Amino acid sequence: VSWTDILWDPITGCWGSHRQVCSSYCYAAFCARRLFRESHLANPHVAPGCDPDDPFAIRFWPERLEEPLKLVRPSRILVCSLGELFSGWVPSAWIAQVLQIVRQCPQHIFQMVTREPQNVHWWNPLPHNVWLGATATDRAMAETAVHALSEVRARLKFLCLAPLLGDIDGAALQGIDWLVVGDLQGSNGA
């Protein structure tokens, strides 16, 4: 990911209504099922209600929590690149632990991207060092994301249009500071 310095995945996986929609092109699902299958299935920290036999089920990795504390240089850190931090299925205690580490590292910028920006308001305001983004693949999704982002205080707000599958012409993007645009990288995110 060219727009960040470090990937930090204390929570991986996804569960929810959008999961079926994006499963054919989701890079994180591809990685969980093909590249990291064994290590993910060996992790017993599975969110309640998720299938522990699914390598892309939401999992907590407590041993990864303190990684940002060990970084010497101020960095841009992409949080949960292989999962959905703000899914309604992620236990609040897990999200609270992630945000506590973010607060302990004011020297870093934490880039958080979510497909479920409507859930972020529960954590409002976010720590001052968070750049909050929402994934959108077309105009309707972009407008819904912009509305949800408008209800949250974050240092910087952005849309991650990756993959951009439809037209966004005419979408109201007020309050959006940055756009990340990407294309579809083959089948199953490969």
Side-chain angles (χ1 to χ4, degrees):
V1 180
S2 63
W3 43 274
T4 197
D5 300 318
I6 306 277
L7 303 178
W8 178 44
D9 290 300
I11 296 171
T12 59
C14 178
W15 208 258
S17 59
H18 67 273
R19 187 172 189 230
Q20 297 302 322
V21 175
C22 64
S23 64
S24 64
Y25 58 79
C26 180
Y27 177 76
F30 170 80
C31 288
R33 293 190 176 119
R34 301 242 174 102
L35 303 178
F36 308 129
R37 180 178 182 79
E38 296 306 316
S39 63
H40 282 218
L41 290 175
N43 180 341
H45 305 287
V46 179
C50 292
D51 178 3
D53 295 326
D54 180 353
F56 197 46
I58 295 172
R59 287 180 160 75
F60 184 51
W61 303 82
E63 68 276 12
R64 297 178 181 174
L65 263 179
E66 295 187 359
E67 289 174 358
L69 298 171
K70 299 172 186 172
L71 296 173
V72 176
R73 280 185 336 139
S75 302
R76 289 172 301 170
I77 301 170
L78 180 57
V79 181
C80 297
S81 66
L82 297 176
E84 174 55 62
L85 178 63
F86 295 108
S87 168
W89 292 83
V90 176
S92 295
W94 295 0
I95 298 171
Q97 289 179 66
V98 170
L99 292 176
Q100 181 58 36
I101 295 295
V102 170
R103 287 184 186 90
Q104 290 177 31
C105 298
Q107 73 277 24
H108 301 311
I109 298 295
F110 290 86
Q111 300 164 314
M112 299 180 178
V113 182
T114 181
R115 280 194 163 279
E116 300 187 40
Q118 72 280 2
N119 294 338
V120 181
H121 76 275
W122 296 107
W123 303 96
N124 198 24
L126 291 170
H128 78 281
N129 53 340
V130 169
W131 292 4
L132 179 63
T135 300
T137 58
D138 58 29
R139 180 181 174 168
M141 201 172 171
E143 289 180 344
T144 299
V146 169
H147 175 73
L149 291 174
S150 73
E151 298 179 354
V152 179
R153 286 194 340 218
R155 181 174 175 180
L156 183 141
K157 297 176 188 179
F158 66 99
L159 287 181
C160 185
L161 306 169
L164 183 56
L165 301 175
D167 192 358
I168 63 162
D169 279 351
L173 302 179
Q174 290 86 1
I176 299 301
D177 302 300
W178 188 35
L179 292 175
V180 175
V181 182
D183 61 357
L184 190 59
Q185 298 291 317
S187 64
N188 292 323

